[in-house]
Amino acid sequence: MTQAPAPPRATRRQHDREILALAVPAFGALVAEPLFLMADSAIVGHLGTAQLAGLGVASALLATAVSVFVFLAYATTAAVARRVGAGDLKAAIRQGMDGIWLALLLGAAVIAVVLTTASPLVDLFGASPTAAPHASTYLMISALGIPAMLIVLAATGVLRGLQDTRTPLYVAVAGFVTNAVLNVALVYGADLGIAGSAWGTVLAQWGMAAAYLAVVIRGARRHGASLRPDAAGIRSSAHAGVPLLVRTLSLRAILMIATAVAARLGDSDIAAHQIIVSLWVLLAFALDAIAIAGQAIIGRCLGAGDAQGARDACRRMVQWGIGVGLVLGVLVVLARPVFLPLFTSDPAVTDTALPALVIVALSQPICGVVFTLDGVLMGAGDGPYLAWAMLVTLAVFAPVALLVPVLGGGLTALWVAMTMMMTVRMLTLWLRARSGRWIVTGATR
């Protein structure tokens, strides 16, 4: 992103092909992930309202427990891609194995915490007396799948670093289908109720983890990489992940503050906010696919010592991010009359959501730049800067958002604050990209 002549058309076409080849399958895999919860909700919902409410509480707790470790995918992608660029596939896979071992250790620790605190956690989230037993049952069984989920994150990072986003797509689709079949069989066929849904999901998650491990182990044997845990390598993976953990926790804090503010605005506002957040997450998947391509391509370029190639790829991916953001913004505006009735028939909720959706639509090009540059800097291994940038963003957003109920403006004002938050992120990331300080070549940063 430093000032330099635009790359020739042939180079841009090459970047376009690479971005599409990585981003399209990545988008498919990202969309497949939330389908797990949708399938569980559809199946459990027919058991009763209390069971569905319990699933909602348990799923929120599980999502939080797993999402904070998404750095397992991000950091592993960057580290593996650098070694691929340097031409050392053995070291690339060895680095990936270190990430997988770290995932297994973290998963064991999280299981211990969840199993010993399941009931208090459910109570803390405010589950009703009728929903709480179902939430605890689902949470305690599903906790057994947490190591598998973390292994999937790390192994996905390995394959992305190896420039392979097709295998994660195939595994995600197979996992979704298996999950749906097992849920129906265990919930209704075996009459296990909500426990059957939890067991079905756990089995599907371990099946996905086994599929990933089979691919990685096959690659390790082909290139002579050791499969044994290496303490130094695991520490290195953890060290690279800490700044990204800070970044993720800061982002989660922003989203929690936004939800808390919306709840204070009233029932119609919080209902509309939840609908908008679901759309915002879906839009984020499309933009995050470009970020995933950025992680893999930038890491490979820097590992190969190709600083100019990294700059050119960054420039082109930002253009893609802006373009996709513009298209998504137009689609949001056009789809508003169709989208909102899918979630609510309450005119008060619809009237509250409509103007806020316009703000979301206008912000999509900004989101496109943010997601793209986030991926570029992750691919460069620039985690410490990403952590500080997100902490700055949190510090700016929190007081502005908390003033919304005081100053008025309702949900629309809250999403103006959210757009301001994304603008601050864009500025911090753009300044870093423009400086060129993220460009550090070599097999390691």
Side-chain angles (χ1 to χ4, degrees):
M1 287 291 289
T2 51
Q3 292 297 324
R9 182 173 299 177
T11 301
R12 292 199 299 272
R13 284 200 297 266
Q14 179 184 350
H15 287 316
D16 290 345
R17 286 193 296 269
E18 284 189 313
I19 292 167
L20 284 171
L22 291 169
V24 172
F27 174 67
L30 289 169
V31 171
E33 291 175 10
L35 293 179
F36 268 80
L37 178 58
M38 290 179 63
D40 288 3
S41 299
I43 294 166
V44 171
H46 291 285
L47 293 173
T49 300
Q51 287 88 338
L52 184 58
L55 173 66
V57 172
S59 296
L61 286 164
L62 285 167
T64 300
V66 173
S67 64
V68 295
F69 298 112
V70 73
F71 69 83
L72 289 166
Y74 296 156
T76 304
T77 297
V80 171
R82 274 186 176 269
R83 287 159 177 80
V84 168
D88 192 347
L89 288 177
K90 178 180 178 180
I93 295 175
R94 176 62 259 180
Q95 180 68 41
M97 285 304 305
D98 292 334
I100 291 172
W101 279 110
L102 175 62
L104 190 58
L105 292 173
L106 290 172
V110 175
I111 278 185
V113 172
V114 172
L115 290 181
T116 55
T117 61
S119 294
L121 284 173
V122 167
D123 294 337
L124 183 64
F125 265 59
S128 68
T130 54
H134 301 295
S136 296
T137 296
Y138 191 92
L139 182 59
M140 292 187 70
I141 296 172
S142 295
L144 301 176
I146 288 176
M149 288 187 274
L150 298 190
I151 289 171
V152 166
L153 284 176
T156 300
V158 176
L159 296 180
R160 289 173 181 172
L162 294 170
Q163 318 295 295
D164 176 9
T165 56
R166 289 184 180 274
T167 300
L169 171 60
Y170 300 148
V171 174
V173 172
F176 166 70
V177 173
T178 303
N179 176 66
V181 171
L182 286 172
N183 267 255
V184 171
L186 295 175
V187 171
Y188 298 112
D191 198 25
L192 294 179
I194 195 169
S197 177
W199 280 116
T201 301
V202 167
L203 292 172
Q205 287 162 345
W206 276 107
M208 292 172 66
Y212 275 116
L213 288 173
V215 173
V216 174
I217 290 171
R218 186 166 61 245
R221 288 174 175 167
R222 183 185 307 125
H223 298 285
S226 173
L227 299 174
R228 295 178 180 177
D230 176 66
I234 294 172
R235 283 196 300 270
S236 175
S237 295
H239 184 265
V242 169
L244 296 179
L245 175 61
V246 172
R247 167 201 168 276
T248 300
L249 290 174
S250 300
L251 181 57
R252 296 290 298 184
I254 287 171
L255 296 177
M256 289 175 64
I257 290 171
T259 299
V261 169
R264 292 177 62 187
L265 296 174
D267 289 347
S268 296
D269 294 86
I270 185 60
H273 178 73
Q274 290 304 112
I275 294 171
I276 293 171
V277 166
S278 68
L279 175 62
W280 197 68
V281 170
L282 179 62
L283 298 172
F285 285 147
L287 298 172
D288 203 27
I290 302 174
I292 288 169
Q295 294 170 33
I297 293 171
I298 294 298
R300 189 196 67 219
C301 287
L302 294 177
D306 186 4
Q308 187 57 49
R311 291 189 185 93
D312 292 343
C314 175
R315 182 196 298 271
R316 191 58 177 164
M317 281 183 284
V318 168
Q319 292 170 351
W320 269 87
I322 294 172
V324 173
L326 287 169
V327 171
L328 292 176
V330 172
L331 290 176
V332 169
V333 172
L334 295 177
R336 283 185 306 160
V338 178
F339 174 75
L340 288 173
L342 295 175
F343 291 87
T344 182
S345 57
D346 187 340
V349 176
T350 301
D351 291 344
T352 301
L354 281 172
L357 277 174
V358 174
I359 302 301
V360 171
L362 293 174
S363 71
Q364 288 309 297
I366 296 172
C367 294
V369 176
V370 169
F371 277 82
T372 301
L373 291 181
D374 219 25
V376 166
L377 296 184
M378 285 182 189
D382 204 10
Y385 182 84
L386 290 172
W388 283 111
M390 190 59 78
L391 286 171
V392 169
T393 302
L394 173 60
V396 172
F397 171 77
V400 174
L402 293 174
L403 283 174
V404 168
V406 178
L407 300 179
L411 190 67
T412 302
L414 175 60
W415 277 93
V416 169
M418 289 287 285
T419 301
M420 179 212 70
M421 177 270 294
M422 294 300 290
T423 303
V424 172
R425 287 188 69 189
M426 182 181 70
L427 290 174
T428 57
L429 297 174
W430 179 78
L431 288 171
R432 185 64 167 183
R434 184 180 175 84
S435 73
R437 293 176 184 172
W438 54 278
I439 300 176
V440 178
T441 58
T444 57
R445 183 178 173 86

